[in-house]
Amino acid sequence: MKTADLGEKYVMKTYSRFPLTFERGEGMYVYDENGKEYLDFVAGIAVNSLGHNHPKLVKAISEQAAKLIHISNLYYSRPQCTLAQKLVENGSLDKVFFCNSGAEAIESALKLARKYGSKTGRQEIITMHKSFHGRTFGAVTATGQDHYHEGFGDMLPNIKYATFNDFESVKNTVTENTVAILMEPVQGEGGIIPAKKEFLEQVRALCDEKDILLMFDEVQCGVGRLGTLFAYQTYGVVPDVMSTAKGIAGGVPCGLMMAKEKVAEAFVPGDHASTFGGNPLATAAGNVVVDELLGGLLDNVKEQGAYLREKLEEVSAKHKDLVKEVRGIGLMQGMELTEPAGDYIAKAIDMGLLLVGAGKYIIRFVPSLIVSKEDIDKAMEILDKALG
Ligand SMILES: *Cc1c(COP(=O)(O)O)cnc(C)c1O
């Protein structure tokens, strides 16, 4: 049976997939089962930070697999502890909790906030409209978009929503029961919407004043995508808690949550756990990604991010009636169209460029962080044709 038919028959239908089956990848390119080549500007949805089959990543994973794949968190492992050290020493947060996905990294943050709030009897968490935080019950409740909630019954209590980039709305939503405010520094699924620096600064000041935790969801915009290791470093606004996942281990499932010491202390042994979290295989991969980022790749993100933006503006100037706006930071860019983006994305894929939407009208560009000028030129050529 053809792969797609097997999938149709045996895999639960939670995705509407393109009728494509991929077999292998190399750098910025992936190849389907017929050998057709695609330039990949999706990167597994901002996951393959080092592109496909990066030699250092492959080597680290192979060597670690031959030594020890998993050991549980009953014990220490070297890759987990060195990755934690790198993340702490290159940022402003003090402790790391490892898990396996974005949703789990958000769940960990929500639980940490509630535990922290239990000391003062506060448990309300404010999140933003148009946000996306994942699909588990806590994360999906935090997601400020009704259609993700419909049909699933009661959501988690004590989660309220405010308007992103609107400080008055946040301020007016805060009550005596508020313990944390959660947001994405750049909203991803909601349509590639960067926070305004002033907004983050105002929310930070409000949180300081009221002992409310500022929590960032950097699952998509973190791990170098904006040109700094952590998204908060691009803004110069330090959260108390930060969750990330997607790109951290270059495609090996890995998520993590970091916190300031005084917040992290709220968790004591037994409070929270993950069987697979931070296992040697995933964190060996995470070490390679962080080493590459700090070893010069962040400069490439800044350079290529600026180039991608410039080229997207050029393409949009050629399609004035169709393109409403280009926005984003670094290698997380979006192009908002005046028409639904789906057909244009399908055309680009047909022409050998993988793209993904973010909301109905937005084309998202989240290539691997190793992307070059030539890759961007080629992608823009195809995009131009797909739009025209
Ligand atoms: C993808 C994403 C998540 C959820 O991550 P999963 O690994 O799919 O659970 C959470 N927050 C943001 C901002 C995301 O982009």
Side-chain angles (χ1 to χ4, degrees):
M1 223 190 257
K2 277 188 64 179
T3 307
D5 296 333
L6 283 175
E8 280 296 298
K9 188 156 187 244
Y10 295 111
V11 179
M12 214 175 277
K13 292 193 200 316
T14 61
Y15 308 97
S16 44
R17 297 179 203 254
F18 291 98
L20 291 171
T21 302
F22 285 100
E23 264 177 11
R24 64 185 185 90
E26 206 178 312
M28 285 293 298
Y29 287 89
V30 283
Y31 301 85
D32 72 11
E33 60 186 348
N34 305 314
K36 182 174 170 184
E37 179 181 88
Y38 296 81
L39 177 55
D40 186 4
F41 266 55
V42 176
I45 319 189
V47 167
N48 301 101
S49 29
L50 304 183
H52 298 280
N53 291 5
H54 189 284
K56 286 187 193 163
L57 192 59
V58 172
K59 182 165 181 278
I61 292 170
S62 314
E63 285 178 2
Q64 189 59 51
K67 272 202 287 195
L68 183 69
I69 293 175
H70 178 83
I71 189 68
S72 92
N73 287 303
L74 294 168
Y75 319 101
Y76 292 106
S77 81
R78 189 82 193 163
Q80 182 183 111
C81 298
T82 57
L83 178 57
Q85 179 188 20
K86 286 168 195 170
L87 294 169
V88 169
E89 289 184 350
N90 291 284
S92 305
L93 301 176
D94 305 314
K95 288 278 160 66
V96 188
F97 172 81
F98 287 100
C99 50
N100 312 285
S101 69
E104 259 187 281
I106 294 298
E107 292 294 333
S108 311
L110 297 174
K111 280 185 73 180
L112 181 62
R114 287 274 175 95
K115 189 77 200 301
Y116 178 82
S118 69
K119 282 184 289 185
T120 47
R122 297 176 295 162
Q123 56 163 309
E124 188 176 87
I125 295 165
I126 296 174
T127 73
M128 302 298 124
H129 290 299
K130 287 194 172 183
S131 60
F132 181 83
H133 298 294
R135 307 299 196 126
T136 53
F137 264 109
V140 87
T141 307
T143 295
Q145 303 188 57
D146 289 342
H147 70 99
Y148 288 107
H149 301 171
E150 279 155 21
F152 294 106
D154 294 340
M155 293 286 120
L156 196 68
N158 283 304
I159 293 194
K160 298 208 297 193
Y161 312 98
T163 305
F164 190 57
N165 274 334
D166 179 345
F167 177 64
E168 287 305 308
S169 161
V170 173
K171 200 174 141 192
N172 294 334
T173 311
V174 166
T175 69
E176 303 218 305
N177 191 27
T178 305
V179 69
I181 300 175
L182 170 69
M183 64 177 77
E184 298 153 85
V186 179
Q187 289 191 330
E189 307 301 311
I192 314 294
I193 306 167
K196 295 193 187 102
K197 186 173 191 313
E198 194 194 11
F199 171 68
L200 295 187
E201 286 166 353
Q202 286 171 316
V203 175
R204 176 69 272 178
L206 177 73
C207 288
D208 287 339
E209 185 195 318
K210 298 190 182 285
D211 185 29
I212 292 170
L213 302 177
L214 178 58
M215 310 203 295
F216 282 173
D217 177 347
E218 298 197 6
V219 171
Q220 188 163 161
C221 65
V223 199
R225 192 148 287 281
L226 305 190
T228 50
L229 183 58
F230 300 106
Y232 65 79
Q233 293 166 325
T234 292
Y235 280 97
V237 174
V238 179
D240 302 291
V241 178
M242 186 276 314
S243 298
T244 194
K246 288 196 166 85
I248 186 65
V252 182
C254 184
L256 58 94
M257 182 269 289
M258 299 182 69
K260 288 271 192 198
E261 184 74 55
K262 70 156 189 173
V263 188
E265 266 165 13
F267 271 170
V268 296
D271 276 347
H272 196 46
S274 167
T275 298
F276 292 123
N279 89 5
L281 188 76
T283 48
N287 272 283
V288 176
V289 170
V290 172
D291 288 347
E292 286 298 298
L293 285 169
L294 298 172
L297 196 56
L298 289 173
D299 296 330
N300 189 60
V301 177
K302 287 194 195 104
E303 193 183 328
Q304 307 306 336
Y307 187 68
L308 172 62
R309 177 56 172 269
E310 188 188 314
K311 290 285 146 182
L312 284 170
E313 304 276 3
E314 271 177 41
V315 171
S316 67
K318 285 170 78 177
H319 303 273
K320 277 205 178 72
D321 293 341
L322 183 56
V323 181
K324 202 166 148 196
E325 192 185 27
V326 174
R327 57 178 180 252
I329 302 176
L331 287 175
M332 183 170 181
Q333 299 285 336
M335 178 180 260
E336 181 166 355
L337 305 183
T338 54
E339 291 172 30
D343 287 349
Y344 297 100
I345 290 171
K347 267 191 217 159
I349 294 176
D350 225 38
M351 290 188 253
L353 172 65
L354 295 186
L355 291 174
V356 63
K360 199 168 172 195
Y361 294 90
I362 291 117
I363 305 178
R364 163 168 41 174
F365 303 85
V366 285
S368 297
L369 309 181
I370 59 160
V371 71
S372 71
K373 285 209 162 60
E374 295 81 76
D375 300 323
I376 294 172
D377 286 339
K378 185 166 171 191
M380 293 301 106
E381 212 175 284
I382 297 174
L383 176 70
D384 182 28
K385 279 190 206 136
L387 295 180

